[in-house]
Amino acid sequence: MDKSAVGRTGQPVTMVVELGKVREFARAVKDPNPVYFDEDLARREAGGIMAPPTFLMTIGFWDDGRGRPKLDMDLRRLLHGEQEFEYLKPIYVGDVLTAVSRVEKVFEKQGARGGTMTFAVTATEFRNQKDELVAVSRSTAIETGQVVKRD
Amino acid sequence: MAEQRQRLYFDEVNEGDEIPAFVVEKLTRTDIVRYAGASGDFNPIHHDQTFAEAAGNPTVFGHGMLTAGFVGKCVTDYVGLHNLRRFKVRFATRVWPGDTITCRGRVTRKYDADGVHCIDGELQALNQKGETAVHGSFTAVVPGREVDH
C-alpha cells in the first residue's frame, strides 16, 4: 500500500455561498423548508439563510481540480464510501468560503468479497471571510481490489 | 405575527425516540439530473444511459450524495438546520430510478457537553425492498426551555 499521499494538500479554493444555488440545492434534495426560502423566518430561526447540510459538496463548482490532492488511486476501482461534515459555525448565504483539502490518512481493509480495499480520507477545512473555521468535511474514497462490479 | 414553528426541546427528547420519516416516492431520472445540476456532479454514470450501460449497469443510478441530501432533510426537519453539528453518511446499496426511499432515524444518546445539551442519533435511507442505501449518524445541539425566546 502506498501511503505517500498522506499529508498532501491541495491549493485553496474560494467558494461563494449563493442564494440561488442554495435554493436550487434545497429543491434538488426535495427540501421545501422555509428556512431556505423565507428570509425573515431564516433570520429569526438561524440568523439568516444557511446552506443545507450537504451543500459543501458544491465546492466542485469552484474547483478546477487544483484543490483536490491527488490520491494515487485507480479511478476505475474508486468508490465514494463515506462523507462526514462537522459544522462549527453557521454558513450563511453571502459568505465567501476558502477550502483547503489535505489527505488525512490512507489505510487498508479486507473486503467482504475478498480482495484488499484501500481507503483514503481527505479532510477539507472551510473558513469564511472572517477567517473563522466554519466546517470540516471528510470524504472517504475506497479503491476496491478489482474493477468495481456494479451489483 | 411571526410564524412559530414546532421546536424540539431537550426535556422532550428521549434516547430511542424515532425521528419522523421522510419518504421520496419513485425517484425519477429528472430528480437525478436536477441533483447533478444543483451539485455540479456531472459524472455521466448518473445521467447518460449509454455510458451507464457501457459501464455494466442496467441504467443510471442516483448520486450517493442525493440520497444523503434526503437524509439531511430528514434530520434537519427534526433538530433544526442551525442545531446540526455533525452529519455522517456511509454508502451501501445504490438507488435506482423508480425506487422509493424512506429516510428515518433514532436518537441514540442524550447528554450535556461543554454546558450544551446534545443528542446523537443514527439515520438510514432504505429502498422499497428494505435494503439500506445510506447509513448515517448525527450530533445536534438541542435547546432547553431556559434559553427559549
Side-chain angles (χ1 to χ4, degrees), chain A residues 70-87:
Chain A
K70 216 172 159 304
L71 288 175
D72 307 324
M73 285 177 148
D74 181 351
L75 288 176
R76 294 166 306 161
R77 295 190 280 143
L78 209 61
L79 295 173
H80 187 191
E82 295 183 4
Q83 184 69 42
E84 179 174 23
F85 303 93
E86 280 176 71
Y87 311 100

Side-chain angles (χ1 to χ4, degrees), chain B residues 64-86:
Chain B
M65 287 308 300
L66 171 56
T67 309
F70 298 151
V71 178
K73 182 235 187 301
C74 176
V75 68
T76 53
D77 277 352
Y78 183 65
V79 301
L81 174 63
H82 55 291
N83 292 323
L84 192 64
R85 291 294 176 272
R86 193 184 62 81

